[in-house]
Amino acid sequence: RYPSVCVFLAFTFAGICCIISLPQMQLSDDSDRTFLVWDDLRVERQDAYNEALDKVEVGNQKKQSVAVQTEAITAWTVWVIYEAKKSVGSLLTPAVLNDMENLEKQIANHKRYKNVCLIAYDTAADASICNVHRRSPVDTFPNHDTQTEIETTMTGIFADDDRYLSLKPSFEKGWSTSDRTPRWARTMIEHGAPLTLKGRTYNYYKEDEDAQDEYFVDYVLDVADIVDDYKSSNFDTYFFNQKWFDEKSNELVMQDFAFVGLSLAFVIFYMMV
């Protein structure tokens, strides 16, 4: 009898449902529970077991704090992927490696990098350095002023099976003695917790994890911009970090819901006029 009223109520109900479900759509941390039946007895027991493990872990960490920035956090690992341009035959040339080194120095020179980098202690307890290149083509070929130096280093890598196997994942699949000109490579930069924030030094990562993650996310968003904005005539760059991905995914979800809300409002207004 009143079709416009029915349409209005139907869209209003749909909009309310969307608003209620919005918090559930946020992508926060990695999860292997996405496709599980959460109220299944086996899942509940596994959750109880995991919760107990977390409590034991936190309890152990409270007894013995972790040195600042010495615990590698997997979700904080940054990946920079390089793809050689069509005009460039290989990434392993002096010009390209110098270009990579310049980009990675820009990352290391970020004002927050020294506060989140993974620290390695040497024999002196108070001496520490950031692992700027945890695994990088630049680190693999430290002497790259000439092509001869690069080829000599590469020959040594191929002659050592253990070293070759450890470095192989940093380059494209076909990189070998029969193909010494990789067009793809990647750099892995690790970061460490616990952090020191606003004069407070945390004892371990789980202590106010959200605050430490928030500080890292502010940093890694800047790093992503550095990589995306870097101009090179030798390669294209791609960036990935799990926390960055979660942040961007949440933004996309929020934007989509905003568009849905605006679309519903427009349809309702159109039907009511």
Side-chain angles (χ1 to χ4, degrees), residues 24-238:
Q24 307 300 323
M25 298 298 293
Q26 291 198 15
L27 305 176
S28 53
D29 296 323
D30 291 345
S31 175
D32 55 2
R33 305 179 72 248
T34 305
F35 300 103
L36 296 180
V37 180
W38 289 8
D39 59 354
D40 184 271
L41 180 60
R42 291 170 296 178
V43 176
E44 291 177 346
R45 287 177 176 176
Q46 183 65 43
D47 287 345
Y49 174 73
N50 292 338
E51 183 178 358
L53 284 182
D54 288 340
K55 289 181 178 179
V56 170
E57 179 184 357
V58 171
N60 290 337
Q61 289 178 327
K62 285 182 178 178
K63 296 176 183 177
Q64 183 176 5
S65 61
V66 180
V68 173
Q69 295 171 232
T70 58
E71 178 187 355
I73 307 302
T74 302
W76 288 8
T77 300
V78 164
W79 298 94
V80 181
I81 296 93
Y82 301 96
E83 179 189 11
K85 291 185 179 293
K86 292 182 178 180
S87 59
V88 177
S90 170
L91 291 175
L92 298 182
T93 66
V96 177
L97 289 172
N98 285 333
D99 216 356
M100 290 183 185
E101 187 173 25
N102 182 52
L103 170 57
E104 292 171 19
K105 281 182 177 179
Q106 290 186 31
I107 296 174
N109 288 335
H110 188 282
K111 61 183 179 181
R112 289 195 177 191
Y113 177 75
K114 64 180 183 299
N115 299 326
V116 296
C117 68
L118 181 65
I119 288 179
Y121 288 91
D122 59 17
T123 53
D126 59 345
S128 61
I129 58 172
C130 287
N131 289 339
V132 178
H133 300 301
R134 183 63 180 181
R135 179 176 289 176
S136 165
V138 177
D139 192 38
T140 303
F141 296 89
N143 301 317
H144 52 263
D145 292 333
T146 66
Q147 190 64 38
T148 300
E149 290 177 326
I150 295 172
E151 293 297 332
T152 300
T153 301
M154 205 180 326
T155 299
I157 292 172
F158 292 145
D160 186 337
D161 289 341
D162 291 337
R163 188 181 178 195
Y164 171 62
L165 290 175
S166 67
L167 294 174
K168 189 177 179 180
S170 296
F171 299 92
E172 67 175 294
K173 186 177 180 180
W175 184 57
S176 63
T177 54
S178 60
D179 184 0
R180 301 163 69 98
T181 57
R183 300 193 69 257
W184 289 84
R186 63 181 180 178
T187 287
M188 177 185 74
I189 304 176
E190 291 186 298
H191 299 82
L195 304 180
T196 298
L197 302 178
K198 298 179 180 179
R200 175 185 177 183
T201 298
Y202 292 100
N203 295 309
Y204 42 87
Y205 175 57
K206 292 293 184 180
E207 183 182 7
D208 202 354
E209 180 180 347
D210 290 341
Q212 297 185 69
D213 278 341
E214 182 179 356
Y215 185 88
F216 176 80
V217 167
D218 289 341
Y219 152 80
V220 84
L221 289 174
D222 286 346
V223 172
D225 289 339
I226 291 173
V227 175
D228 289 342
D229 295 340
Y230 188 78
K231 304 300 182 184
S232 171
S233 60
N234 296 306
F235 51 71
D236 294 316
T237 55
Y238 307 92

